[in-house]
Amino acid sequence: MSERNDNASKTFSMEWFLPALKNAAIPLIGIFLFLGIWQVGAPKIVTSLGAVPGPSQVFQQFVGLVDEHQEARAKEVAFIERQEVRNAAKLEKDPNAVVKIRPYTGKATFFDQIWTSLLTVMTGFIIASLIAIPIGIVAGLSQTVYSAINPLIQIFKPVSPLAWLPIVTIIVSATYVSDDPMFEKAFVTSAITVMLCCLWPTLINTVVGVANISQDLQNVSKVLRLSWWTHVVKIVLPSAIPMIFTGLRLSFGIAWMVLIAAEMLAQNPGLGKFVWDEFQNGSSNSLGRIMVAVIVIGILGYLLDRGMLVIQKYASWDKSQALR
Amino acid sequence: MTVKEHLVISQASIDFPTPTGPYRALDKVNLKIAKGEFVSIIGHSGCGKSTVLNLVAGLYQATEGGIILDGKEVNEPGPERAVVFQNHSLLPWMSAYENVELAVKRVFKGKKTKAEMKEWIEYNIGLVHMDHAMHKRPDEISGGMKQRVGIARALAMEPQVLLLDEPFGALDALTRAHLQDSLMEIQKDLGNTVIMITHDVDEAVLLSDRIVMMTNGPAATVGEILDVNLERPRDRVAMSETPEYIRCRKAVLSFLYERHGQKAEAVPEPVVEKAVEEVMAEQKEVSPALVSVK
Ligand SMILES: Nc1ncnc2c1ncn2[C@@H]1O[C@H](COP(=O)(O)OP(=O)(O)O)[C@@H](O)[C@H]1O
Ligand SMILES: [Mg+2]
């Protein structure tokens, strides 16, 4: 829809500029009001760790975290260089010498932890989608299958991640045994917990989307006597795409929320663990750092949802549909 | 007209389940249709015309009686009985070409090569004069164009029987006239058997070999069958003045508006004549475009 508008508005004009300014100004006013109230109100609340930090202190903590990350990277580079020099020297003396290459094992920085969190949430979410969409399609097409799984969906859907976690932890500990595990146990546990919690919206929305395909299109399929597979690919999936994406985005929101809780408890090295560690740490910086984490979690969640929206626009056939 | 039995609707009745018990929509419908015949079904809204068509299509199952096509009972839908649905029913995510392609691939897989299929798809789209918008999607073309693509899709399946459910109902008079002419041409060339539902008396007379008039529901059935003995090819303007055309038109109008879709019964003759003339005069005023096209 907007392509034509964009071209028209490339020529700079007040008609275009003023509404754009207004569009940007109102949210900005909202944000500044919030920051103002925070800055003024925060110092008035004094905790065991000192006064609650305002936005400027939180920003300083953020800068501190960036510095820490850069330091750690520099250390890592230095470590690897030293190791290489040492090994090269060893090999020079004795070409048959066995050289050890040890990975750098410094403390994970805030940004390493963001990365781990993203990886974990993506893993859980993708596995959940790969399970939920096919089951949803089958259940949407068959009343019998739907009747069979509906009670299970209704029972498991409201279960909190905190209830799943102990079960998952114990089962993973018992079954995921390997001398050289590809993934850490904590990672597997968190990912599976995320998966269990974010299956449901995708599953339910896929079922609804598939079950509500227009009767006319179903008749077309019947008259053509399309095979089951062609029916699913050419008719069912395109019809259900908007509902599937609604489900996926709900699921993703849940996944991101659940992840933080799961990481806190599973001690998976992610944002959740970062928050937990800072809480246990209890230094004067901790409150500010936790707030940095909160804001980063929020912004990342928002960006990820926008990302899903872009994919949805790409995947859906109806480009004129208003998406938000 | 002597009818060689190609398609037979035999004692077909259908009950729809409703909360207040079964609803008998059709009761003992009987109809025999010859190969290559053009039959239209006319009747008041909600009397059960679409239900008859869906029975022939195999989308509904008769509660009693059934449908026989070339000696075989029909009990499921199939591409040899192609349907043009009332609201086109194109897949909105596919271009006109792809919509027709879906049908062609299904019917001619293994019988035509890729190149032959492409040619066949384009030929059928050409039949309905849609070449220029072949690669547009349904939301990018007008209602009349969508209906044409629907017809092309059905024709491309080379069906033995072509079923049309009020195919031109939602179109303006001009477009409708164009499509009626195309349909007559195509049917002449291909010789398909056609069953078309319509609520337009002129359309029924213009296109059909026979007009089946249905009684009002519930328990609707065939009220009367009218033979239209007009020479083909038919020209809508020249034909509109002929006595046969006027006779047919009158007969249908009389059934629909005077007897209110009842089976023949005693209605005083003069009253019928007068009322029918009034209705006809009214109709001519309403749809001048229908007559003046061409
Ligand atoms: N699937 C269905 N379930 C219940 N009732 C139906 C169904 N299809 C049609 N009917 C009823 O059968 C009657 C005839 O419908 P239909 O064949 O669509 O009429 P029309 O002549 O307008 O095409 C109507 O009263 C309608 O309500
Ligand atoms: Mg109908």
Side-chain angles (χ1 to χ4, degrees):
Chain A
M1 178 207 110
S2 61
E3 223 165 88
R4 246 170 291 146
N5 292 352
D6 285 350
N7 286 340
S9 60
K10 262 180 194 145
T11 45
F12 182 85
S13 76
M14 288 313 269
E15 268 162 62
W16 164 83
F17 182 69
L18 283 179
L21 188 71
K22 209 168 133 197
N23 281 349
I26 292 172
L28 279 179
I29 291 173
I31 290 173
F32 278 113
L33 267 178
F34 169 75
L35 290 178
I37 294 169
W38 179 9
Q39 183 74 52
V40 173
K44 303 210 164 88
I45 306 168
V46 179
T47 68
S48 57
L49 303 178
V52 172
S56 52
Q57 289 97 314
V58 169
F59 182 72
Q60 280 162 16
Q61 290 302 332
F62 177 73
V63 173
L65 285 168
V66 173
D67 289 345
E68 243 172 52
H69 178 72
Q70 278 163 350
E71 260 168 48
R73 272 301 99 82
K75 266 192 201 157
E76 182 179 353
V77 170
F79 171 86
I80 287 168
E81 261 172 20
R82 273 202 310 278
Q83 178 169 283
E84 270 168 9
V85 169
R86 206 164 48 231
N87 286 342
K90 233 183 194 176
L91 284 172
E92 210 172 303
K93 265 190 210 155
D94 172 12
N96 298 327
V98 187
V99 296
K100 279 186 212 143
I101 297 177
R102 286 193 207 83
Y104 175 74
T105 51
K107 183 173 164 282
T109 67
F110 181 61
F111 295 92
D112 296 333
Q113 282 166 325
I114 292 178
W115 178 242
T116 313
S117 281
L118 287 174
L119 206 65
T120 318
V121 82
M122 281 298 175
T123 309
F125 173 71
I126 289 172
I127 295 174
S129 307
L130 291 179
I131 295 173
I133 294 174
I135 294 182
I137 289 173
V138 173
L141 289 173
S142 154
Q143 184 63 44
T144 318
V145 175
Y146 177 71
S147 305
I149 66 167
N150 189 40
L152 299 176
I153 298 177
Q154 302 305 332
I155 290 169
F156 289 130
K157 186 176 59 138
V159 175
S160 146
L162 305 182
W164 283 122
L165 199 72
I167 303 176
V168 175
T169 311
I170 291 167
I171 292 178
V172 167
S173 308
T175 55
Y176 189 68
V177 270
S178 137
D179 296 332
D180 181 23
M182 194 157 50
F183 308 106
E184 276 181 62
K185 264 187 188 155
F187 171 84
V188 176
T189 309
S190 312
I192 291 179
T193 307
V194 166
M195 179 204 88
L196 284 173
C197 293
C198 77
L199 273 176
W200 316 110
T202 305
L203 182 51
I204 293 167
N205 280 279
T206 306
V207 170
V208 173
V210 169
N212 288 340
I213 297 173
S214 98
Q215 188 60 46
D216 292 325
L217 298 189
Q218 293 188 44
N219 282 344
V220 170
S221 178
K222 281 186 196 154
V223 168
L224 289 175
R225 251 191 243 150
L226 294 181
S227 65
W228 187 86
W229 182 249
T230 316
H231 176 66
V232 168
V233 172
K234 300 278 181 180
I235 296 186
V236 172
L237 268 179
S239 308
I241 276 271
M243 280 303 276
I244 293 179
F245 266 95
T246 306
L248 285 174
R249 282 172 65 197
L250 285 172
S251 279
F252 202 87
I254 290 182
W256 192 233
M257 249 197 276
V258 162
L259 175 79
I260 307 300
E263 282 177 342
M264 269 190 188
L265 291 173
Q267 292 290 298
N268 183 43
L271 282 168
K273 185 171 186 306
F274 174 86
V275 171
W276 186 252
D277 287 350
E278 287 300 333
F279 176 60
Q280 295 295 323
N281 197 357
S283 80
S284 55
N285 288 338
S286 291
L287 215 43
R289 289 179 163 221
I290 292 175
M291 286 183 181
V292 171
V294 166
I295 292 168
V296 166
I297 289 167
I299 291 175
L300 280 178
Y302 171 75
L303 291 179
L304 290 168
D305 187 60
R306 292 287 106 174
M308 294 283 294
L309 197 67
V310 171
I311 300 174
Q312 176 171 11
K313 277 192 180 143
Y314 179 78
S316 90
W317 50 271
D318 188 0
K319 308 285 181 209
S320 64
Q321 198 183 25
L323 295 174
R324 62 189 89 231
Chain B
M1 188 184 280
T2 47
V3 170
K4 197 185 144 279
E5 295 184 4
H6 170 56
L7 177 68
V8 182
I9 304 175
S10 166
Q11 294 287 90
S13 306
I14 189 164
D15 292 334
F16 288 116
T18 65
T20 53
Y23 171 78
R24 172 140 300 207
L26 296 179
D27 190 51
K28 301 199 184 71
V29 174
N30 284 300
L31 188 63
K32 289 179 184 174
I33 298 172
K35 209 175 181 70
E37 199 179 5
F38 196 123
V39 172
S40 51
I41 300 179
I42 198 162
H44 283 288
S45 179
C47 72
K49 304 181 294 292
S50 297
T51 309
V52 172
L53 205 80
N54 283 333
L55 276 176
V56 178
L59 291 166
Y60 287 167
Q61 292 300 312
T63 316
E64 290 157 27
I67 315 291
I68 296 150
L69 177 65
D70 285 331
K72 265 189 277 176
E73 184 165 1
V74 166
N75 41 29
E76 61 174 340
E80 75 283 357
R81 282 160 285 124
V83 186
V84 176
F85 295 93
Q86 193 162 359
N87 50 354
H88 68 77
S89 296
L90 298 177
L91 307 189
W93 43 85
M94 290 185 180
S95 68
Y97 181 92
E98 289 165 331
N99 265 287
V100 179
E101 186 184 36
L102 183 70
V104 168
K105 271 197 177 155
R106 178 62 191 82
V107 176
F108 295 103
K109 190 148 209 175
K111 292 182 205 148
K112 283 188 196 288
T113 65
K114 261 196 170 151
E116 281 168 343
M117 279 200 226
K118 182 168 185 288
E119 199 181 313
W120 177 242
I121 295 163
E122 286 171 356
Y123 169 75
N124 280 281
I125 292 177
L127 274 185
V128 294
H129 306 295
M130 279 294 296
D131 325 54
H132 60 290
M134 190 152 61
H135 297 294
K136 289 198 171 156
R137 286 208 316 224
D139 56 355
E140 298 167 323
I141 59 182
S142 71
M145 291 159 97
K146 281 185 253 206
Q147 208 50 271
R148 285 175 204 227
V149 178
I151 293 171
R153 175 172 67 185
L155 289 172
M157 290 150 75
E158 276 193 334
Q160 295 175 40
V161 183
L162 184 60
L163 304 168
L164 303 132
D165 191 348
E166 295 188 21
F168 314 131
L171 307 179
D172 63 281
L174 259 169
T175 314
R176 193 188 310 179
H178 277 302
L179 289 185
Q180 286 166 348
D181 290 338
S182 315
L183 183 59
M184 276 197 285
E185 254 169 59
I186 291 163
Q187 204 248 346
K188 189 188 84 195
D189 293 344
L190 306 180
N192 308 78
T193 308
V194 181
I195 304 179
M196 180 181 75
I197 294 177
T198 178
H199 53 230
D200 180 328
V201 179
D202 287 290
E203 181 170 276
V205 178
L206 176 67
L207 296 175
S208 323
D209 297 316
R210 282 191 299 158
I211 302 174
V212 174
M213 292 171 257
M214 288 187 60
T215 62
N216 289 349
T221 190
V222 174
E224 212 175 299
I225 300 180
L226 179 76
D227 285 345
V228 181
N229 298 310
L230 287 164
E231 292 282 304
R232 287 182 191 272
R234 295 173 181 173
D235 178 290
R236 67 179 67 237
V237 180
M239 214 179 60
S240 62
E241 303 289 313
T242 63
E244 173 67 2
Y245 184 85
I246 293 169
R247 177 190 75 87
C248 292
R249 213 167 168 277
K250 209 178 212 175
V252 178
L253 285 169
S254 144
F255 179 86
L256 289 180
Y257 299 108
E258 263 316 306
R259 304 217 307 268
H260 301 287
Q262 314 272 300
K263 277 203 176 186
E265 55 170 23
V267 178
E269 268 303 300
V271 181
V272 174
E273 296 282 306
K274 196 158 167 265
V276 166
E277 260 148 37
E278 273 170 26
V279 174
M280 281 172 69
E282 210 173 277
Q283 285 234 332
K284 253 182 199 148
E285 269 165 41
V286 180
S287 55
L290 254 184
V291 189
S292 61
V293 166
K294 253 213 161 172

